[in-house]
Amino acid sequence: MTFLKQIGRRRFIGMLGGTALMGAVPGAVQSVQSAAIATGAFTPDLEIELRAVPDQIPLYRGAPTHVWRYRAKVIKGDARAVSHQPGSPLGPVIRVHRGTRVRIHFINEVSQPSVVHWHGLLVPDAADGHPRFAVGPGGRYVYEFEVINRAGTYWFHPHPHGMTGSQVYAGLTGLFIVSDDEEQALGLPAGERDVSLVIQDRSFTRDNQLQYIGNGPGMMGMMSSMTGFLGDRIHVNGRPDYMLAAERRPYRLRLVNGSNSRIYKLAWYDGTPLTVIGTDGGLLAAPVNRPYVTLAPSERIELWVDFSSRAAGEELNLVSLPFVASSGGGMMGRGMMGGGPAQGSAFPVLKVRMGQRAAVSEKLPGKLASIPALHPEQAHNLNNPRPIRVTASGMRWSLNGRLFEMEGVANDEVVRLGTTEVWEFINEAGMGMMGSMPHPMHVHGVQFRIIDRRVHPGAMAAWRSVSEGYVDEGWKDTALVMPGERVRVLMRFEHYPGLFLYHCHNLEHEDMGMMRNYLIKA
């Protein structure tokens, strides 16, 4: 394995300073001062106040870094349901049991309209964080929903149209972890051995302020909208040079790609295989082994890692391996977005240092969870999948040739509640010399199963460089679609009617309009 040197500090051309960090605000953003979906008939088990606030935190020597972050407190229910990570700019971790009825009072104290999307959670459309429900500075919104998801690692982040990338980049990110009886009966590592790791890339000015080039005017803004923003430093849980102090015992590591556009090809530097126990939608039916895992923006992966064979004081490095990121056959992004590691380059991610206590070995169960059955034959359109094509025109990515409309739904974007469908994500678009690039496709309102993947012969180099890291065995809400690839997914629209979103989770692509509504019609 070729291992690149530690990431160095870089400077961006077109740097945005001060409050201008947040980028250009599109002119057609719907915003209200206050909104609510509270019905009066809803009695919560857990009630939380969640604030989006400006703050500053020391990340590097010298001036503190200005950030936006979530702060939360429990109003009603178990106070242990909310925790914050000391010294981290990231938001809280909310932990609930399946079946918990949750009410969340969101209060927007930042200077832009914002709304919260509960990524991966199956909630009513009014609670899903659609941009049409964004509230302005000083505005409030009340979310109410029952947690019906399986045990798993979910997260939450802003979703206002045109500003999602900048707000997530500024620090507005939190975790929502669900448990259930089936999971608890397995006896998986818990407490301090159940570790969530949010991986993000960031860039900074010389005085420690975040640098971000969004979809603004000028050449740099256009390049950001095309490729996505790539930072030059890797942060884990909001901190640089992250090191996990671990005992020599098994751990459960929950990895979350919270980056705007960077894809990670995660592996242990010494070549130890990864044991995967869960993905976006919760635990797998049984553990699977991978030489590495490919993690696109918004995807989650859960690992069982047994450190009992490691020596006291030993260090283990998690790295991102190189891969081919474009149909042109190489990396992409270097030099365009500030000189940080290009999409597809190699770099270190985090270190794990073993403690001195005696090693303790535990056995991982061979069966993890009962996966609800869903078969392709149940889909009414199995032989005629609903196509979602990555398209490009000029300097903009789009879906089926369309850009986002706040409440617009085309005739072929309507599905029926209670039906099962196959959708096919098709990434065959090109942008002249840019060729095609990876797109992580996310669907709100459902979890789905990946049926199969097909790739054009001319794009095999990119696909082969990441495909051994796919974990398609479980439930997903995001699917990475490489250049030249077609991915068929199976989903059942069984929970809530209403207006939901599907989009690329490269946040700069989403903000430029690579996002559409679809309507689940009762």
Side-chain angles (χ1 to χ4, degrees), residues 30 73 126 133 260 335 428 489 495 515:
Q30 178 173 332
K73 67 178 182 180
F133 296 122
N260 281 34
E428 295 176 348
V489 303
H495 298 294
M515 176 167 66

Side-chain angles (χ1 to χ4, degrees), residues 89-236:
L90 297 190
V93 179
I94 300 174
R95 293 179 179 268
V96 302
H97 197 80
R98 186 177 186 178
T100 301
R101 294 163 63 86
V102 180
R103 175 182 290 153
I104 298 174
H105 301 262
F106 171 60
I107 303 170
N108 181 16
E109 296 182 3
V110 299
S111 58
Q112 290 182 354
S114 196
V115 65
V116 182
H117 170 49
W118 309 96
H119 188 115
L121 293 182
L122 305 172
V123 299
D125 71 335
D128 189 53
H130 192 284
R132 72 188 190 279
F133 296 122
V135 295
R140 297 169 176 251
Y141 195 94
V142 179
Y143 300 89
E144 292 182 344
F145 54 87
E146 180 179 344
V147 177
I148 63 175
N149 285 68
R150 302 170 62 240
T153 305
Y154 308 95
W155 65 304
F156 56 96
H157 59 79
H159 218 291
H161 179 43
M163 295 172 285
T164 296
S166 59
Q167 292 188 11
V168 171
Y169 189 83
L172 290 174
T173 299
L175 296 179
F176 199 105
I177 295 177
V178 178
S179 64
D180 61 23
D181 294 340
E182 181 181 46
E183 175 208 41
Q184 291 182 344
L186 295 172
L188 296 173
E192 293 183 352
R193 293 190 294 127
D194 181 355
V195 182
S196 300
L197 301 168
V198 180
I199 306 171
Q200 298 171 309
D201 56 337
R202 298 289 183 263
S203 291
F204 293 85
T205 65
R206 292 179 179 175
D207 61 350
N208 299 335
Q209 301 311 307
L210 285 163
Q211 290 179 289
Y212 177 71
I213 302 170
N215 298 336
M219 180 57 68
M220 294 303 292
M222 287 189 290
M223 295 304 295
S224 174
S225 68
M226 288 166 55
T227 65
F229 184 84
L230 300 172
D232 62 6
R233 299 186 181 196
I234 302 301
H235 281 204
V236 176

